[in-house]
Amino acid sequence: MIILGLDPSLSCTGWGVIRAEGSRIAHLANGQVPTDAKAPIAERLAALQAALAEVIVAHRPDRAAAEEIFVNKNPQSTLKLAQARGAVLAACGVAGLTVNEHAARLVKKAVVGTGGADKTQVQAMLKVLLPGAQIAGADAADALAVAIADAHLVQRF
């Protein structure tokens, strides 16, 4: 089973691809898709969708996973996140991928063992779970964590 993990953001969307076989996982690829903050919103969203479509074609995942959306204190930030998420999920929809959604606390618990883990704890655990993987950055790390959590959480149902 090949799983595409997604960490959508208008500024930089992270993605990570793993192979899950039973309880074993292996890193296949990861990356980040930054957008130009000075570009019009429609152009940025189109760039996200096109980049994710390329990732899907290149890695042929069986399914995708993303964190459930959360509401920021700043409504503008929430709207931008929702728009970026829509572009990313649309790329998955066009490819016919099922997208599982998981709460951030569940992702952290599945990867680190506690839902209150911080980013450094998640990144440290990724080094243990995916030895030798060169992770493109914090957004890619978050996406890999989502993919790993999906591998563990979906198996249980």
Side-chain angles (χ1 to χ4, degrees), residues 3-129:
I3 303 169
L4 170 62
L6 300 164
D7 180 34
S9 169
L10 188 57
S11 59
C12 185
T13 289
W15 60 270
V17 183
I18 65 165
R19 177 184 309 278
E21 295 173 354
S23 62
R24 297 184 341 166
I25 56 169
H27 173 264
L28 298 180
N30 72 87
Q32 299 184 144
V33 182
T35 65
D36 180 358
K38 295 176 184 167
I41 187 83
E43 196 176 295
R44 295 173 77 184
L45 294 172
L48 283 178
Q49 186 173 1
L52 266 293
E54 288 178 16
V55 169
I56 291 167
V57 167
H59 298 287
R60 303 171 51 99
D62 297 300
R63 69 178 188 241
E67 279 187 6
E68 290 177 349
I69 199 162
F70 61 92
V71 178
N72 286 305
K73 291 178 184 171
N74 179 341
Q76 282 295 92
S77 296
T78 301
L79 286 173
K80 288 178 181 177
L81 172 61
Q83 289 171 323
R85 197 169 189 278
V88 168
L89 295 182
C92 293
V94 168
L97 291 178
T98 298
V99 180
N100 296 319
E101 299 181 69
H102 306 290
R105 292 185 67 78
L106 275 180
V107 170
K108 292 173 184 178
K109 186 170 183 173
V111 174
V112 179
T114 176
D118 63 28
K119 285 187 178 282
T120 57
Q121 291 173 302
V122 172
Q123 290 174 5
M125 198 61 187
L126 287 176
K127 290 178 182 175
V128 172
L129 296 171

